[in-house]
């Protein structure tokens, strides 16, 4: 049983799987009876956004607060005022899906003081099969730059090792080995392993969070 | 097998260009292509290359002209409106017989259009990438792995024929992520000699002059004719395409890039229902696989061009089929991606309307 704080911030390297995790986490908590708000704070990525799952959230009673022009034809990175007011009111669980890298984390920085006051956990999602964060040192640099840009501290790591459709339990397993090295460099524990259903590994001292794949390539 | 990684199309394109020996990138940011420039800005300084964010697309393409003149392996990238700005420069580069790579990660148009994926720049890429009598080679990848494998080829072919090459992708390919592997490279890539480059004579030869201006009309005509002889060689030797179950197909879909993937799904769905659907995927759009299509037209009942546009490549399909059977069209535009279901339904409608045996 994985337990969560009331404010869950999901950060990580560009393309490490943050959004798919955020969507799954929102659905999981809502199905457990929790009142959930998911916030799409991504000001970097034009496609494959939390906002794309809008209908799914409606069906499951999850409130979505998204960047004003998310999934439209306009590339204007502005966030609605309801982000701050919702965090301030603080009812239920809030999941903040932040854009990748330090560039995406900048959007989070403006809420740093408020979030700190309320208490939070900030998860850093990693995928060692992502080009340019395939070394623990590179990944640690990415984490530190996100902390600097957001003015918040990561509290734990999430193993999201995957090779898309080529993912196997071995691939997920390698994420744990990588996680140990990353823990040594950053001092942060691996909170859990997220993997698309069918790739679960067992008996490895990690909690497994099984996911559906909601953001997929076009075919 | 080589190490596999997850990469976005835009990143894979940039990394493949670096591995192909490209050390000069000039560009200007635009969605949905920006990750490519961002990647170059991070990596180029680390490997001794040059990344320069120009003041405009027009400046960037003319920097490409300059770098190519002195023999550098050079590229630029943009998305639809940005490519329109570059067209004057592309014409000058073609008229100066210079190789380079131009990447277009297409988005919706016309005008400012939108940032969602599109294939509405087919005419621009294959018919009028600039003013004057000219062609450029146009490569259309359909997966991130194919991007990785194609970028080096595009550079090499541009050098071989001294023509600009374009890699025509779209927002979906640029943004989506797939597992890829880079080919093993045990030794440094050796780039071809460029004896024509304006690298300085050191007093040992006549100067090389890079130019697209000819004072004498007959001389200009001669230079254009010589270039068109090279174009004929390209048409003869460089056509690439993929065929999926075309041998017994009643209806053959023609689709390139991202749309071809959705068509493949539609073909498999149709076959499961006993409908003989096939697919020809042009990998080079110029030169266009006209002979392969003409050959299929001898036995197929009809063709349907599927594009994320209002119908552009369909004209080339009609020219290739040359009246042997009906050529229809299905498309979505404005940034809308067609679904396999609607393609299959459109295919069934075409088959119902053409009917009968060939």
């Amino acid at each position: 049983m994985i337990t969560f704080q009331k404010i869950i911030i999901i950060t990580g390297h560009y393309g490490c799987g943050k959004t798919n995790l955020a969507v799954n986490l929102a659905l999981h908590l809502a199905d457990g009876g929790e009142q959930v708000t998911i916030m799409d704070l991504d000001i970097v990525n034009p496609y494959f956004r939390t906002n794309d799952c809008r209908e799914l959230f409606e069906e499951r009673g999850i409130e979505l607060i998204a960047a004003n022009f998310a999934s439209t034809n306009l590339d204007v990175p502005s966030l609605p005022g309801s982000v701050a007011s919702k965090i301030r009111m603080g009812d239920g669980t809030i999941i903040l899906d932040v854009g990748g890298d330090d560039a995406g984390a900048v959007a989070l920085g403006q809420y740093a003081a408020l979030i700190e006051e309320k208490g939070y956990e900030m998860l850093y999602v990693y995928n060692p099969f992502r080009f340019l964060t395939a070394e623990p040192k590179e990944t640690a640099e990415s984490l530190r730059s996100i902390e600097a840009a957001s003015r918040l501290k990561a509290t734990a790591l999430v193993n999201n090792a995957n090779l898309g459709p080529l993912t196997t339990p071995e691939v997920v397993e390698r994420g744990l080995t990588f996680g140990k090295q990353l823990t040594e460099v950053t001092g942060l524990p691996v909170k859990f392993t997220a993997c698309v259903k069918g790739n679960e590994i067992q008996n490895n001292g990690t909690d497994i969070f099984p996911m559906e794949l909601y953001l997929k390539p076009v075919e | 097998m080589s190490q596999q990684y997850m990469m976005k199309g835009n990143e894979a394109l940039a990394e493949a260009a670096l591995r192909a020996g490209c050390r000069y990138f000039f560009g200007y940011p635009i969605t949905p292509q920006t990750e490519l420039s961002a990647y170059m800005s991070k990596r180029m300084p680390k490997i001794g290359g040059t990344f320069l964010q120009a003041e405009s697309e027009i400046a960037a393409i003319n920097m490409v002209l300059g770098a190519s003149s002195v023999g550098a392996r050079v590229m630029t990238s943009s998305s639809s409106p940005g490519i329109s700005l570059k067209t004057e420069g592309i014409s000058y580069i073609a008229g100066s017989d210079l190789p380079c790579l131009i990447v277009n990660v297409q988005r919706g148009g016309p005008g400012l259009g939108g940032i969602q994926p599109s294939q509405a720049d087919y005419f621009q890429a294959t018919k009028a990438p600039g003013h004057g009598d000219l062609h450029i080679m146009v490569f259309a990848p359909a997966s991130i792995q194919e991007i990785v494998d194609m970028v080096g080829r595009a550079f090499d072919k541009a050098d071989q024929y001294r023509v600009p090459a374009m890699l025509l992708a779209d927002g979906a390919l640029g943004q989506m992520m797939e597992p890829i592997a880079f080919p093993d490279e045990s030794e440094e890539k050796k780039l071809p000699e460029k004896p024509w480059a304006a690298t300085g004579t050191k007093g040992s030869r006549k100067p090389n002059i890079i130019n697209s201006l000819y004072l004498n009309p007959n001389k200009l005509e001669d230079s254009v004719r010589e270039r068109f002889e090279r174009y004929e060689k390209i048409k003869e030797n460089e056509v690439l395409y993929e065929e999926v179950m075309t041998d017994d197909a009643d209806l053959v879909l023609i689709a390139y890039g991202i749309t071809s993937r959705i068509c493949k799904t539609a073909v498999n769905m149709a076959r499961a229902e006993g409908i003989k659907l096939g697919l020809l995927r042009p990998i080079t759009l110029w030169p266009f696989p006209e002979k392969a299509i003409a050959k299929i037209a001898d036995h197929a009942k009809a063709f349907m061009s599927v594009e994320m546009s209002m119908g552009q490549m369909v004209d080339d399909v009609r020219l290739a089929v040359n009246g042997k059977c009906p050529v229809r069209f299905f498309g979505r535009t404005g940034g809308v991606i067609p679904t396999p279901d609607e393609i299959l339904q459109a295919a069934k409608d075409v088959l119902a309307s053409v009917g009968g045996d060939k």
Side-chain angles (χ1 to χ4, degrees):
Chain A
M1 175 85 182
I2 315 166
T3 57
F4 294 95
Q5 298 287 320
K6 289 293 177 189
I7 295 180
I8 310 164
I9 304 169
I10 298 180
T11 62
H13 178 56
Y14 198 48
C16 65
K18 292 177 294 301
T19 295
N20 202 61
L21 173 64
V23 172
N24 275 279
L25 203 52
L27 295 169
H28 168 76
L29 293 173
D31 289 351
E34 183 68 25
Q35 184 194 336
V36 179
T37 304
I38 187 163
M39 296 185 178
D40 177 355
L41 297 192
D42 196 335
I43 55 159
V44 181
N45 217 18
Y47 309 165
F48 304 112
R49 309 179 54 109
T50 306
N51 187 64
D52 297 351
C53 303
R54 182 176 283 274
E55 285 174 21
L56 191 60
F57 297 138
E58 266 170 36
E59 279 170 26
R60 310 277 270 272
I62 296 166
E63 187 184 354
L64 168 70
I65 297 178
N68 294 321
F69 299 99
S71 316
T72 72
N73 262 332
L74 252 190
D75 202 5
V76 177
S78 74
L79 297 169
S82 50
V83 172
S85 56
K86 188 79 198 180
I87 297 172
R88 188 168 288 121
M89 285 187 329
D91 47 345
T93 295
I94 300 174
I95 299 170
L96 293 99
D97 181 25
V98 182
D101 291 343
D102 47 342
V106 166
L108 186 62
Q110 63 188 301
Y111 311 111
L114 185 58
I115 289 172
E116 198 138 22
E117 184 191 314
K118 292 282 170 188
Y120 69 99
E121 65 181 311
M122 182 155 108
L123 305 176
Y124 179 87
V125 182
Y126 68 87
N127 176 9
F129 294 92
R130 222 11 216 125
F131 203 72
L132 293 190
T133 49
E135 297 294 330
K137 200 172 143 276
E138 294 172 315
T139 311
E141 275 171 26
S142 147
L143 190 154
R144 296 304 172 212
S145 67
I146 286 171
E147 288 183 328
S150 67
R151 287 175 271 139
L152 292 164
K153 291 282 175 204
T155 56
L157 308 168
V158 174
N159 171 26
N160 186 37
N162 78 87
L163 270 172
L166 304 182
T167 308
T168 59
E170 289 72 36
V171 164
V172 178
E173 188 89 46
R174 209 168 116 192
L176 276 182
T177 318
F178 185 88
K180 285 196 183 105
Q181 296 169 297
L182 200 53
T183 297
E184 274 177 34
V185 187
T186 62
L188 294 172
V190 176
K191 180 165 175 148
F192 61 91
T193 290
C195 65
V196 171
K197 283 174 190 163
N199 294 312
E200 289 94 337
I201 47 172
Q202 265 131 33
N203 305 325
N204 276 288
T206 179
D207 283 318
I208 300 288
F209 182 70
M211 300 189 295
E212 300 289 342
L213 193 59
Y214 291 107
L215 298 122
K216 315 177 198 187
V218 177
E219 2 243 350
Chain B
M1 194 161 93
S2 310
Q3 172 65 49
Q4 284 183 303
Y5 296 104
M6 288 294 277
M7 277 187 108
K8 281 201 166 214
N10 285 332
E11 298 167 338
L13 223 160
E15 179 61 29
L18 298 180
R19 287 175 188 235
C22 174
R23 289 295 177 272
Y24 295 87
F25 178 94
F26 305 104
Y28 186 82
I30 181 169
T31 305
Q33 162 282 157
T34 301
E35 293 85 359
L36 202 170
S37 310
Y39 193 95
M40 288 295 193
S41 74
K42 280 188 186 142
R43 295 282 295 146
M44 275 294 195
K46 289 188 181 162
I47 57 169
T50 297
F51 164 87
L52 201 152
Q53 182 172 320
E55 65 271 36
S56 73
E57 285 86 348
I58 297 169
I61 192 71
N62 284 292
M63 290 172 187
V64 170
L65 191 157
S68 183
S69 298
V70 295
R73 184 160 271 201
V74 56
M75 72 180 286
T76 186
S77 69
S78 192
S79 179
S80 308
I83 298 293
S84 293
L85 285 166
K86 290 183 198 285
T87 53
E88 183 200 45
I90 294 171
S91 178
Y92 277 61
I93 292 169
S96 307
D97 293 316
L98 293 172
C100 68
L101 179 65
I102 302 148
V103 174
N104 182 1
V105 183
Q106 297 172 87
R107 57 187 253 182
L112 196 51
I115 62 170
Q116 299 297 323
S118 163
Q119 295 183 317
D121 298 347
Y122 179 91
F123 279 156
Q124 184 189 50
T126 63
K127 315 290 179 203
H131 62 278
D133 276 324
L134 73 94
H135 287 291
I136 60 175
M137 294 186 75
V138 183
F139 294 86
S143 70
I144 315 299
Q145 184 65 55
E146 196 173 33
I147 287 176
V148 165
D149 300 335
M150 190 181 277
V151 169
R153 184 184 180 87
F155 272 119
D156 289 344
K157 291 299 166 186
D159 280 345
Q160 183 182 337
Y161 294 100
R162 289 182 66 180
V163 296
M166 177 178 278
L167 204 137
L168 190 67
D170 68 273
L173 267 180
Q175 292 295 328
M176 70 189 205
M177 202 151 52
E178 286 187 309
I180 54 100
F182 288 100
D184 285 321
E185 290 148 3
S186 43
E187 54 201 74
E188 184 96 348
K189 187 167 171 81
K190 205 169 176 312
L191 300 184
E193 295 289 321
K194 293 178 178 174
W196 48 263
T199 50
T201 66
K202 300 181 185 73
S204 64
R205 58 163 168 82
K206 281 178 36 178
N208 287 333
I209 297 170
I210 309 290
N211 177 41
S212 68
L213 169 68
Y214 292 84
L215 298 181
N216 180 332
N218 289 311
K219 284 270 195 287
L220 175 56
E221 185 184 45
D222 289 347
S223 93
V224 174
R225 282 188 188 283
E226 183 281 321
R227 195 170 301 122
F228 269 72
E229 282 168 19
R230 269 180 284 142
Y231 292 162
E232 281 308 311
K233 285 190 190 132
I234 294 173
K235 284 161 88 168
E236 202 56 49
N237 301 318
E238 305 300 342
V239 175
L240 295 173
Y241 59 89
E242 180 194 359
E243 286 185 74
V244 181
M245 292 185 266
T246 52
D247 285 349
D248 66 338
D250 289 329
L251 174 63
V252 176
L253 307 179
I254 313 279
Y256 74 93
I258 196 76
T259 311
S260 69
R261 299 166 64 114
I262 312 165
C263 284
K264 255 184 213 176
T265 306
V267 166
N268 290 331
M269 286 160 66
R271 291 279 170 170
E273 289 182 31
I275 300 166
K276 287 180 179 168
L277 206 56
L279 167 70
L280 184 139
R281 172 172 79 93
I283 299 172
T284 53
L285 301 180
W286 197 92
F288 192 69
E290 48 199 31
K291 285 179 189 157
I293 292 174
K295 205 168 145 223
I296 297 171
D298 288 335
H299 64 79
K301 285 180 189 163
F303 288 84
M304 184 170 84
S305 186
V306 185
E307 308 169 40
M308 290 192 324
S309 76
M310 289 302 286
Q312 301 190 5
M313 181 174 68
V314 63
D315 287 4
D316 284 336
V317 179
R318 286 204 177 98
L319 286 171
V321 171
N322 202 14
K324 285 187 210 163
C325 61
V327 177
R328 302 286 169 78
F329 172 75
F330 178 78
R332 300 294 305 263
T333 195
V336 183
I337 299 173
T339 65
D341 289 310
E342 61 188 0
I343 293 171
L344 179 58
Q345 188 54 52
K348 284 177 182 170
D349 293 346
V350 169
L351 278 170
S353 73
V354 296
D357 289 325
K358 176 121 177 167

